[in-house]
Every structure is written in structure tokens, then in C-alpha cells.
Amino acid sequence: MAKSIFRAASRAELQQRLARLAPDRAPLWGKMNAPRMVVHLSDSLRMALGELSAAPKKTPLRFPIIKQLVIYLAPWPKGAPTAPELLARAPAAWTSELVTLSALVERFATRSPGEKWPPHPAFGSMTGRAWGALVYRHCDHHFRQFGI
């Protein structure tokens, strides 16, 4: 069964990994520093909750088979492109950003997967189940980027 932000054990794992992150931890790949990565994850959760707009893009990721493969199975490439809206905000105080990300993870999980969810800029329309898996995998990808 795929890990999902909607599963308590998956959320607890992410929260524990987040608690081990330090602001000066160097990435194993990519250009983001740890504070920028935390802001990026927070803003991606805001986007998933419909609180932050990101312009839609025409990509092959909108095709159902490709979408399912990427969301649930395929390894994510290092340096994959992201919406510019998810890179725009400068980090505030480290502790504040950690608290914000932690709270967004928990708030995301209070929504029902059966509710209507906003579209993703690259994947298009998404179910709550798909969002839950994607959010988990996105956090996991960036935590791996920082060796946690």
C-alpha cells in the first residue's frame, strides 16, 4: 500500500524526519538550502489545499497513465522542474517555518480524500487519494535531498 499523508504512520514519519532537519544542513543535490526547501514544501501544501495559485502547464503528466506512474511508482528525478510560484517566497525565521510546515502537514490530513481537490499545475485534476500520495512523496523526495 502506498504511503500517504492521510495515513497517521506516514505523517508521523515525515514529522520525525522534519524534526531532524537543521537550517545549515547541506543538500546532497540541487540548489535549495534547507530553509528554502521547507518554504517550498509549505507552499506546495498551500497549493494542494487551494490557498496558493499556480499557473497550469501543458505537460504529458496530465495523461492518466503517466500521472499514475509518476504519483505512485516512478522514482523522482533529481532537479525536476517545479512551479515558479513554489520557489517565490523567501524563508522567515527557521523555527517559524518548521512550525508552519508541520501544521500544514497535519491540516492537510484533516481533509477527506473524498472531497473535491484543486487541480495540480502539472498533473491537472487530482483525487484526494492522489494528492495524499503525491504530498507524501514530495516531502520524502526533499527530505532525501537533505539526507533525512
Side-chain angles (χ1 to χ4, degrees), residues 66-118:
I66 296 171
K67 182 191 306 190
Q68 297 302 310
L69 283 172
V70 172
I71 290 173
Y72 294 104
L73 298 171
W76 286 18
K78 297 170 182 173
T82 191
E85 296 89 344
L86 302 182
L87 299 173
R89 187 168 65 87
W94 176 250
T95 303
S96 172
E97 293 294 358
L98 288 181
V99 168
T100 297
L101 178 54
S102 177
L104 281 163
V105 165
E106 297 303 323
R107 188 158 56 90
F108 185 95
T110 65
R111 287 196 56 188
S112 167
E115 290 180 38
K116 181 169 174 46
W117 289 81

Side-chain angles (χ1 to χ4, degrees), residues 13-135:
E13 171 208 323
L14 291 177
Q15 296 286 17
Q16 290 164 3
R17 291 166 73 188
L18 178 61
R20 294 196 315 263
L21 184 62
D24 58 351
R25 189 162 194 140
L28 302 176
W29 73 83
K31 298 175 188 169
M32 280 189 227
N33 61 24
R36 284 235 174 243
M37 181 271 288
V38 170
V39 167
H40 169 71
L41 288 177
S42 290
D43 288 349
S44 69
L45 279 157
R46 286 186 177 104
M47 180 192 68
L49 290 165
E51 299 169 6
L52 177 68
S53 296
K57 297 179 177 20
K58 299 260 187 209
T59 73
L61 297 174
R62 291 178 176 267
F63 293 112
I65 291 173
I66 296 171
K67 182 191 306 190
Q68 297 302 310
L69 283 172
V70 172
I71 290 173
Y72 294 104
L73 298 171
W76 286 18
K78 297 170 182 173
T82 191
E85 296 89 344
L86 302 182
L87 299 173
R89 187 168 65 87
W94 176 250
T95 303
S96 172
E97 293 294 358
L98 288 181
V99 168
T100 297
L101 178 54
S102 177
L104 281 163
V105 165
E106 297 303 323
R107 188 158 56 90
F108 185 95
T110 65
R111 287 196 56 188
S112 167
E115 290 180 38
K116 181 169 174 46
W117 289 81
H120 186 280
F123 292 104
S125 66
M126 299 258 294
T127 64
R129 178 177 176 267
W131 269 117
L134 183 65
V135 166

Side-chain angles (χ1 to χ4, degrees), residues 32 37 40-41 138-146:
M32 280 189 227
M37 181 271 288
H40 169 71
L41 288 177
H138 187 219
C139 290
D140 176 66
H141 171 78
H142 284 294
F143 288 171
R144 287 176 189 274
Q145 179 184 12
F146 285 84

